[in-house]
Amino acid sequence: MTTMKEKPMTQTASANGLERPERDFGEGFCLSGETLQKFDREIAKYPEGQRRSAVMACLALAQEEIGWLPRKAVEAVAAYLGIPPIAAWEVATFYNMYDLEPVGRHKLTVCTGLPCALSGGVHAAKYLQEKLGIGLGETTPDGKFTLLEGECMGACGDAPVLLMNNRRMCSFMTPEKIDQSLEGCK
Amino acid sequence: MAILGAIQPILTAGLRGDALQGYGADAGWRLADYAGRGGYAALKRILAEKTPPEAVIAEIKASVLRGRGGAGFPTGLKWSFMPRSLPGDKYVVCNTDEGEPGTFKDRDLIRLNPHAVIEGMAIGAYAIGANRGYNYIHGEIWELYKRFEEALAEARQAGLIGENILGSGFSFELFAHHGYGAYICGEETALLESIEGKKGQPRFKPPFPASFGLYGKPTTINNTETFASIPFILNMGGEAFLNAGKPNNGGTKLFSVSGHVNRPGNYEIPLGTPFARLLELAGGTRGGRKLKAVIPGGSSSPVLPADIIMDTTLDYDSIAKAGSMLGSGAVIVMDETTCMVRALERLAYFYHEESCGQCTPCREGTGWLHDVIHRIEHGEGRPDDLETLTHVAGNISGRTICALGDAAAMPVQSFVKHFRDEFLHHIEHKTCLVPKDVQWAGSGFHTITQQVSA
Ligand SMILES: Cc1cc2nc3c(=O)[nH]c(=O)nc-3n(C[C@H](O)[C@H](O)[C@H](O)COP(=O)(O)O)c2cc1C
Ligand code: SF4
Ligand code: FES
């Protein structure tokens, strides 16, 4: 991926104007020792010579550490696993839950799939847009919330459902419960 | 959600879970609880008695367990395709990548009975001669991926998986692999690609996974519920399991009921139970509104109008006869306030969004389907649009690498067939046949307030 070479920089700005100045994504970029230890635990799940299998988990762990997945992190994962950068990049771009652009501190994914739409999913999405003053796919100006529309999360019986930062599934999200959950977000 | 009701439950006997509480409130999923319900007895017995693998497979065949992931293929038969005497690595893989709109049963199984899945996979490995397995878990249910890993740690500590299990000489390593937001990874060969660390793009078949699977080795893939059924079948006997259902449709099955019912959730009922009985268990339609249509087997199965589904029993053969598929057992209920054009538009969007893009008919066709339905829904339909839809859907069907293409075409064909009037009305009058003031009246926020017992 030599054509994708970036100038060293100490911060990154994206289309939505979010900046995370605390990280150096230039030549000096590296992932934390703790994250690398977690990588090793993932790699150990696969047979000898199949380190590549851990790429999905490692990308998710890198994103967990940084808050999103800058190209430098994808390259670091590739280097650690001994695979070409493009192989990791292909995975990062194929799966929806990787954020290749900075997102707000709290990424909220609301499901509007048909089963959910029949049971408040669309209403919840609308309520969130009004409450946060942003549209789907947007981030609040203070960088606190990003709101996304999601596809089926395998939880349609709990509609409306909201996935927080890819990690916590919130069920039966009526306006009152949405209010409560957002208040709990720092 | 939780298991909200059951008729003669097998897999979820003694389990409920509280629909309104979070995962923290769950009880009964740990190893000690499962063992208390008779868990791991089947695995221990097989290993102690050195039951021939062929005998295990014969018992599964006798149960007429059919795959719970969608296609309904007989599990015993699938296992018998494995070249078990072939030297070298073989794999057993569980498909918990549940992302078919309407389906949420595997989430509850991992949530409430993860050890049944582990035991089922270990028995499967023994039967097909595999020593390593993976459970691929939908990325969105992260908390349950973590729970499954915890259950694995318990089983490993107790010597129920790992090297030389209980001194039997049989070894089986099992790990969890998470997805990260791609519906297509539920397709078995895309899932294998994904475990290999690649984009989840389905492979051409043949070769089938039984000869060329994970890392190119013989592999058996089954759904979570399929594996969870295995220990119960071996404990109660294949014939008893078969008799719990009906001929050619063995056992009980989890049905995920969503949409316009009072108590959306999972229900375990014998195959062959009338749909009307399930609707009743799920609390009937909201506000007592009239039933309009039901998608009986997940969003990829053809929709059935109320009068047909109300006369149908829930088993593979009856639903097929009624013109649809039992699929994953995801029952999506729509009442009279539903605009069928808008409902289909949302489904079409899903398939377009989730097409992996490998085959032109699917990649382009799903986009076309969505565009045309979108314009009909938005009052810009053209007189020949229904013809276009049928034509595009027909051109996708059977011309793609995987079944996602058919899955995208079937809803379109069935919606247009059964609700043609509504589509025509949208095109001719630029408005919906369902009066504006009641449209989607049943679709607002809804909370289950009452716990039920069967
Ligand atoms: C687009 C697509 C998505 C699928 N999603 C799932 C899924 O989420 N879970 C599942 O078990 N099977 C899914 N399947 C079916 C699998 O390919 C496979 O048939 C199944 O896992 C086999 O298990 P079974 O025989 O136990 O049903 C899907 C198939 C297709 C074509
Ligand atoms: S049918 Fe669609 S999803 Fe399946 S392989 Fe082809 S393009 Fe991909
Ligand atoms: S459609 Fe929303 S979780 Fe399934």
Side-chain angles (χ1 to χ4, degrees):
Chain A
M1 272 205 326
T2 43
T3 53
M4 284 187 168
K5 195 138 191 162
E6 279 172 281
K7 279 196 299 254
M9 50 184 180
T10 51
Q11 64 179 43
T12 185
S14 73
N16 61 19
L18 267 187
E19 295 185 4
R20 289 185 185 253
E22 68 276 9
R23 251 348 245 263
D24 174 2
F25 294 122
E27 293 305 323
F29 173 80
C30 59
L31 290 157
S32 76
E34 199 186 324
T35 298
L36 296 180
Q37 266 177 14
K38 290 182 185 165
F39 281 14
D40 290 340
R41 277 209 290 276
E42 293 301 324
I43 292 165
K45 291 180 180 176
Y46 305 96
E48 278 289 313
Q50 301 292 352
R51 290 169 74 90
R52 178 177 185 171
S53 284
V55 66
M56 290 180 71
C58 294
L59 289 173
L61 289 165
Q63 175 163 310
E64 196 170 86
E65 180 191 319
I66 302 166
W68 62 291
L69 205 49
R71 190 183 305 152
K72 275 285 167 200
V74 177
E75 288 170 4
V77 166
Y80 198 84
L81 296 176
I83 60 176
I86 186 71
W89 190 249
E90 267 186 10
V91 169
T93 51
F94 186 84
Y95 298 91
N96 287 333
M97 288 165 70
Y98 297 115
D99 298 311
L100 305 176
E101 293 275 314
V103 290
R105 285 195 301 288
H106 303 278
K107 182 174 88 164
L108 314 176
T109 314
V110 58
C111 180
T112 59
L114 178 63
C116 280
L118 296 174
S119 209
V122 172
H123 293 67
K126 208 162 153 218
Y127 182 77
L128 278 159
Q129 290 178 66
E130 281 162 11
K131 186 172 166 86
L132 299 174
I134 53 173
L136 296 170
E138 293 178 1
T139 299
T140 52
D142 60 1
K144 193 167 171 187
F145 293 107
T146 295
L147 182 61
L148 298 176
E149 180 178 36
E151 292 302 333
C152 184
M153 302 174 185
C156 337
D158 287 9
V161 287
L162 195 62
L163 184 63
M164 292 216 166
N165 282 334
N166 287 351
R167 291 292 179 265
R168 196 156 63 87
M169 179 92 76
C170 306
S171 299
F172 303 111
M173 296 307 278
T174 53
E176 306 78 64
K177 284 190 73 182
I178 291 175
D179 290 347
Q180 274 172 22
S181 292
L182 296 198
E183 266 160 39
C185 291
K186 293 283 168 291
Chain B
M1 72 239 142
I3 314 296
L4 289 192
I7 302 171
Q8 293 156 13
I10 296 173
L11 270 82
T12 66
L15 298 173
R16 278 295 183 274
D18 187 329
L20 305 178
Q21 303 295 318
Y23 303 114
D26 293 345
W29 65 271
R30 293 202 169 268
L31 176 57
D33 304 309
Y34 181 61
R37 295 192 296 269
Y40 286 109
L43 177 66
K44 287 178 181 165
R45 193 174 57 244
I46 289 169
L47 293 181
E49 293 174 3
K50 303 207 181 303
T51 311
E54 298 76 22
V56 174
I57 295 179
E59 202 62 44
I60 304 302
K61 279 186 176 163
S63 76
V64 196
L65 171 68
R66 295 173 62 171
R68 305 305 198 211
F73 192 83
T75 305
L77 191 60
K78 186 187 267 191
W79 288 11
S80 69
F81 293 153
M82 281 292 280
R84 66 174 319 283
S85 49
L86 196 82
D89 295 334
K90 291 178 215 58
Y91 295 97
V92 56
V93 173
C94 177
N95 189 341
T96 310
D97 193 40
E98 188 174 55
E100 163 102 352
T103 316
F104 46 86
K105 64 192 177 64
D106 298 337
R107 175 178 179 237
D108 259 2
L109 282 173
I110 299 290
R111 175 183 176 181
L112 300 170
N113 221 2
H115 283 285
V117 180
I118 296 173
E119 186 183 4
M121 288 188 74
I123 294 170
Y126 177 86
I128 64 174
N131 294 116
R132 198 180 256 268
Y134 293 94
N135 186 6
Y136 190 104
I137 301 177
H138 202 219
E140 284 84 345
I141 52 168
W142 188 261
E143 290 139 306
L144 296 175
Y145 165 70
K146 288 291 179 194
R147 171 166 299 178
F148 191 76
E149 292 223 302
E150 235 182 292
L152 280 178
E154 285 185 321
R156 212 168 276 137
Q157 179 133 37
L160 294 162
I161 55 173
E163 280 285 310
N164 188 16
I165 300 172
L166 306 172
S168 65
F170 171 65
S171 300
F172 176 57
E173 296 287 355
L174 178 56
F175 304 95
H177 181 110
H178 68 73
Y180 229 52
Y183 164 67
I184 191 57
C185 288
E187 196 282 335
E188 55 189 18
T189 57
L191 185 149
L192 296 177
E193 290 283 302
S194 187
I195 297 182
E196 291 181 5
K198 302 175 194 154
K199 291 187 284 189
Q201 290 189 322
R203 300 173 181 169
F204 278 99
K205 288 190 274 190
F208 290 93
S211 51
F212 189 92
L214 184 60
Y215 308 122
K217 305 291 181 196
T219 302
T220 288
I221 307 172
N222 281 113
N223 172 256
T224 319
E225 188 184 350
T226 310
F227 279 121
S229 308
I230 301 297
F232 298 97
I233 292 172
L234 294 178
N235 287 334
M236 68 197 284
E239 204 180 315
F241 186 82
L242 169 62
N243 291 337
K246 65 184 254 193
N248 202 33
N249 297 267
T252 55
K253 158 119 193 59
L254 283 166
F255 285 87
S256 305
V257 186
S258 65
H260 296 147
V261 291
N262 282 311
R263 287 190 297 271
N266 283 315
Y267 297 85
E268 184 183 354
I269 55 175
L271 286 172
T273 303
F275 168 79
R277 181 79 181 94
L278 179 64
L279 184 61
E280 190 190 332
L281 274 183
T285 51
R286 290 180 193 167
R289 278 182 285 268
K290 215 171 121 210
L291 182 70
K292 181 176 202 167
V294 171
I295 302 177
S299 66
S300 309
S301 66
V303 67
L304 294 174
D307 55 333
I308 297 183
I309 188 79
M310 284 305 274
D311 272 342
T312 303
T313 60
L314 299 169
D315 56 83
Y316 296 91
D317 299 337
S318 304
I319 299 184
K321 217 166 119 198
S324 188
M325 286 157 39
L326 182 125
S328 54
V331 176
I332 307 170
V333 177
M334 292 175 275
D335 71 21
E336 57 188 339
T337 67
T338 315
C339 164
M340 298 310 273
V341 181
R342 193 160 143 198
L344 182 62
E345 186 202 357
R346 189 61 186 83
L347 288 181
Y349 178 81
F350 171 79
Y351 290 104
H352 178 48
E353 188 69 22
E354 300 295 337
S355 165
C356 85
Q358 267 193 119
C359 336
T360 314
C362 171
R363 183 185 63 239
E364 303 299 324
T366 51
W368 269 89
L369 291 177
H370 178 252
D371 284 354
V372 174
I373 301 163
H374 181 84
R375 73 175 177 237
I376 299 176
E377 160 65 9
H378 288 80
E380 290 155 18
R382 303 170 193 168
D384 54 0
D385 270 354
L386 291 190
E387 232 174 285
T388 309
L389 280 182
T390 329
H391 183 71
V392 175
N395 274 323
I396 300 175
S397 290
R399 291 174 200 208
T400 55
I401 296 176
C402 89
L404 186 138
D406 300 319
M410 272 188 293
V412 174
Q413 288 157 333
S414 61
F415 269 70
V416 172
K417 175 176 160 201
H418 291 298
F419 300 95
R420 202 175 178 85
D421 287 359
E422 281 193 46
F423 284 81
L424 285 174
H425 192 92
H426 265 263
I427 293 171
E428 279 165 25
H429 303 279
K430 319 280 178 219
T431 57
C432 189
L433 201 54
V434 181
K436 253 222 147 57
D437 51 330
V438 301
Q439 244 181 60
W440 298 87
S443 304
F445 293 108
H446 176 79
T447 321
I448 308 173
T449 47
Q450 202 193 342
Q451 279 293 306
V452 276
S453 49

